[in-house]
Amino acid sequence: SVLCDAEVGLIVFSTKGKLFEYSTDSCMERILERYERYSYAERQLSATDNDTPGSWTLEHAKLKARLEVLQRNQKHYAGEDLDSLSMKELQNLEQQLDSALKQIRSRKNQLMHESISELQKKDKALQEQNNKLSKQAKEREKELAQQSQWEPQSHDLNSSSFVLSQPLNSLHLGEAYPSAGDNGEVEGSSRQQPPNVMPPWM
């Protein structure tokens, strides 16, 4: 151990079954674990090296038989070649198919529920977006209505001074002229002063 820098483990069983051990690393378990690890790797390498054509032939036969069994089961699941099956085998096949149908239907229902939930979320989002757009449209229409109400009022206020000033000069103009009597003469005694037609603000 000292000269070769090696790990040494010694196990001794006496005739009475008593155990004696010695290890240079003062830990026999670590040496044993290392031994198991390396011995397992060596066994794997030796098994690979010792393969013969006969073992390959046997492995090929096993795989071929397994493939035939899988193909036969696939046909049975598809409802084909059922004549060779007994009553018990048919019952087992029926139970397997029922179990498979239950799992398929369960998965189908799960996917349908997920799809419905997703569609409901999209519908809710579209409704919220529609309500938001409708609210914005109503606010815009209200603003346009207010603007259309203010514009005619300002136009009427600008033109009202011209409309009101026109009839002021024609008020009571017929009363300023004298009235003729029966003889065509002007009755001076009945002549009256024309009324004051000027508005108070002038």
Side-chain angles (χ1 to χ4, degrees):
S1 174
V2 174
L3 294 177
C4 300
D5 192 17
E7 293 183 0
V8 177
L10 176 62
I11 300 175
V12 178
F13 288 98
S14 66
T15 56
K16 294 182 179 180
K18 193 173 182 180
L19 172 64
F20 299 92
E21 65 179 22
Y22 167 77
S23 62
T24 56
D25 196 13
S26 70
C27 184
M28 182 61 72
E29 294 179 357
R30 186 179 302 170
I31 296 175
L32 291 176
E33 288 177 358
R34 186 175 180 183
Y35 170 76
E36 289 291 335
R37 186 168 59 251
Y38 280 91
S39 63
Y40 177 77
E42 289 179 358
R43 286 196 300 270
Q44 292 294 325
L45 291 174
S46 62
T48 304
D49 295 337
N50 293 329
D51 285 339
T52 60
S55 63
W56 284 108
T57 304
L58 181 60
E59 188 68 22
H60 177 265
K62 290 180 179 180
L63 293 175
K64 185 177 179 180
R66 184 173 178 81
L67 179 62
E68 290 177 357
V69 171
L70 292 175
Q71 289 177 350
R72 185 170 61 251
N73 291 334
Q74 184 178 4
K75 289 182 180 180
H76 292 166
Y77 291 143
E80 300 175 358
D81 295 340
L82 300 177
D83 297 335
S84 60
L85 297 179
S86 63
M87 179 62 69
K88 186 175 181 180
E89 290 175 346
L90 289 173
Q91 289 177 353
N92 292 332
L93 180 61
E94 184 179 7
Q95 291 177 358
Q96 292 177 1
L97 291 175
D98 288 339
S99 177
L101 283 174
K102 288 180 181 179
Q103 293 179 0
I104 292 171
R105 288 168 182 167
S106 176
R107 179 58 181 167
K108 178 184 174 183
N109 292 331
Q110 182 181 359
L111 291 177
M112 290 179 64
H113 286 305
E114 292 177 356
S115 179
I116 291 172
S117 178
E118 188 68 22
L119 290 175
Q120 288 177 351
K121 290 180 181 179
K122 290 182 179 180
D123 182 51
K124 185 177 180 180
L126 290 174
Q127 287 181 357
E128 292 178 356
Q129 186 178 4
N130 189 15
N131 293 333
K132 184 177 180 181
L133 292 175
S134 177
K135 185 177 179 180
Q136 291 178 357
K138 289 180 179 179
E139 292 178 354
R140 182 61 180 170
E141 290 178 357
K142 187 176 180 180
E143 292 177 357
L144 292 176
Q146 291 177 354
Q147 291 179 0
S148 61
Q149 289 178 359
W150 280 106
E151 289 177 357
Q153 289 180 0
S154 60
H155 180 70
D156 292 341
L157 290 174
N158 293 329
S159 59
S160 61
S161 59
F162 175 76
V163 174
L164 292 175
S165 62
Q166 287 181 353
L168 292 178
N169 295 329
S170 61
L171 291 176
H172 306 287
L173 293 179
E175 297 179 359
Y177 294 95
S179 58
D182 295 334
N183 297 327
E185 295 179 355
V186 177
E187 296 179 357
S189 60
S190 63
R191 182 180 298 174
Q192 297 178 357
Q193 295 294 330
N196 187 8
V197 297
M198 298 299 290
W201 54 272
M202 294 184 67

